[in-house]
């Protein structure tokens, strides 16, 4: 079984909106509804678990998801939200199942990318879509001065969805409790720290995350052309 874990507990402060970005309506639809529709229609996804504050459950349920297994409580950090979702998934899933982690603020996910990240994880512990770096990449240790030039051929930008074998990934997260997990920035980081075998696949430029107002404008423009 392949279970999608959707992270929708963020507040979206950087966007400066009155409500979290994933619940902003574009026309008659919320941002989150776009990725949920793709996951609902993807034959490889068996179940959907959503991390979201209780006050948004009714709005999310307007999407009429037949695959929705339940909601998980948001944590203090993104990775703690993931751990809460994993614990709930473990109550009904098998150890060898795959969990596919995706951000509600990435509405333009494609079924092809979902299928690809699932297929890539079958012979490994997990998989992550990545994009090559187009610009020259530098290291700045103090955030003000250039410390070193990095080889951009060896640097990639990670995307979602990320897929993991449920049991190893869950155990990798638990090992980071109580303090180290607070420092985690990306979903794949606990897997790497645990020495799991994580492979990369080609990402999708259109699968961007809505973080700023410009991102939201870009999304509206794409939707208006469809």
């Amino acid at each position: 079984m392949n279970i999608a874990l959707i992270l929708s507990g963020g507040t979206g402060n950087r966007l400066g909106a009155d409500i979290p970005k994933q619940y902003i309506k574009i026309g008659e639809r919320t941002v989150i509804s776009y990725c949920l529709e793709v996951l609902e229609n993807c034959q490889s996804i068996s179940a959907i678990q959503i991390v979201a504050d209780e006050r948004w459950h009714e709005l999310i349920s307007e999407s009429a998801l037949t695959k929705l297994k339940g909601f998980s409580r948001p944590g203090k950090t993104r990775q703690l939200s993931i751990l809460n979702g994993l614990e709930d998934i473990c109550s009904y899933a098998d150890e060898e199942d795959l969990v596919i982690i995706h951000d509600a603020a990435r509405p333009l996910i494609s079924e092809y990318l979902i299928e690809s990240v699932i297929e890539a994880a079958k012979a490994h512990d997990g998989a992550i879509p990545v994009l090559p770096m187009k610009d020259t990449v530098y290291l700045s240790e103090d955030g003000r001065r250039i410390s070193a030039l990095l080889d951009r051929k060896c640097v990639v930008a990670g995307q979602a969805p990320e897929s993991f074998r449920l049991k190893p990934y869950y155990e990798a997260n638990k090992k980071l409790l109580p303090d180290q997990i607070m420092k985690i920035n990306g979903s794949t980081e606990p897997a790497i720290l645990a020495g799991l075998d994580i492979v990369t696949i080609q990402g999708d430029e259109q699968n961007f995350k809505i973080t700023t107002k410009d991102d939201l404008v870009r999304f509206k423009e794409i939707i208006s052309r469809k």
Side-chain angles (χ1 to χ4, degrees):
M1 183 163 65
N2 302 317
I3 305 105
L5 176 58
I6 309 304
L7 304 179
S8 191
T11 58
N13 291 332
R14 280 178 286 182
L15 194 67
D18 295 331
I19 63 173
K21 56 198 171 187
Q22 60 271 29
Y23 304 120
I24 293 174
K25 285 199 172 183
I26 307 299
E28 298 300 318
R29 297 181 56 181
T30 57
V31 168
I32 187 177
S33 71
Y34 288 88
C35 73
L36 291 178
E37 180 182 43
V38 177
L39 291 161
E40 174 75 13
N41 293 329
C42 181
Q43 293 184 356
S44 294
I45 296 297
S46 307
I48 299 173
Q49 186 79 27
I50 302 176
V51 176
D53 189 271
E54 187 175 358
R55 61 179 167 158
W56 302 110
H57 290 185
E58 184 176 351
L59 181 63
I60 293 171
S61 296
E62 291 179 2
S63 297
L65 302 170
T66 62
K67 295 179 181 178
L68 180 61
K69 292 291 289 187
F71 292 98
S72 299
R73 69 188 187 283
K76 291 183 178 179
T77 67
R78 184 177 187 274
Q79 203 61 34
L80 286 174
S81 289
I82 289 175
L83 183 56
N84 290 342
L86 293 174
E87 289 175 343
D88 290 336
I89 289 172
C90 285
S91 68
Y92 59 81
D94 295 329
E95 294 180 351
E96 293 304 313
D97 288 343
L98 285 181
V99 58
I100 296 89
I101 299 175
H102 191 64
D103 300 300
R106 287 185 188 268
L108 295 175
I109 185 177
S110 68
E111 188 169 337
Y112 175 78
L113 191 59
I114 299 169
E115 299 279 3
S116 297
V117 80
I118 289 173
E119 184 64 29
K122 287 182 177 178
H124 304 275
D125 293 318
I128 176 175
V130 299
L131 293 174
M133 302 301 293
K134 296 179 179 179
D135 299 315
T136 303
V137 183
Y138 297 95
L139 173 67
S140 176
E141 294 179 345
D142 63 2
R144 297 173 57 222
R145 297 178 177 84
I146 299 299
S147 305
L149 171 64
L150 303 179
D151 185 352
R152 66 182 178 188
K153 296 192 298 294
C154 300
V155 180
V156 293
Q159 291 190 312
E162 297 145 284
S163 61
F164 306 98
R165 287 198 296 123
L166 180 57
K167 183 180 179 182
Y169 185 63
Y170 177 49
E171 295 296 332
N173 278 271
K174 288 201 301 180
K175 286 180 180 178
L176 299 177
L177 293 171
D179 299 323
Q180 194 173 359
I181 198 169
M182 303 296 290
K183 303 175 184 177
I184 299 299
N185 294 312
S187 308
T188 299
E189 193 174 345
I192 298 301
L193 291 173
L196 300 184
D197 176 25
I198 308 299
V199 295
T200 63
I201 66 167
Q202 177 61 42
D204 181 357
E205 292 279 2
Q206 188 167 263
N207 180 38
F208 62 91
K209 187 176 182 180
I210 297 176
T211 303
T212 66
K213 291 181 180 178
D214 287 342
D215 296 329
L216 188 61
V217 170
R218 179 185 175 190
F219 175 60
K220 289 179 180 179
E221 291 174 346
I222 292 173
I223 292 302
S224 68
R225 294 196 298 266
K226 291 188 175 182

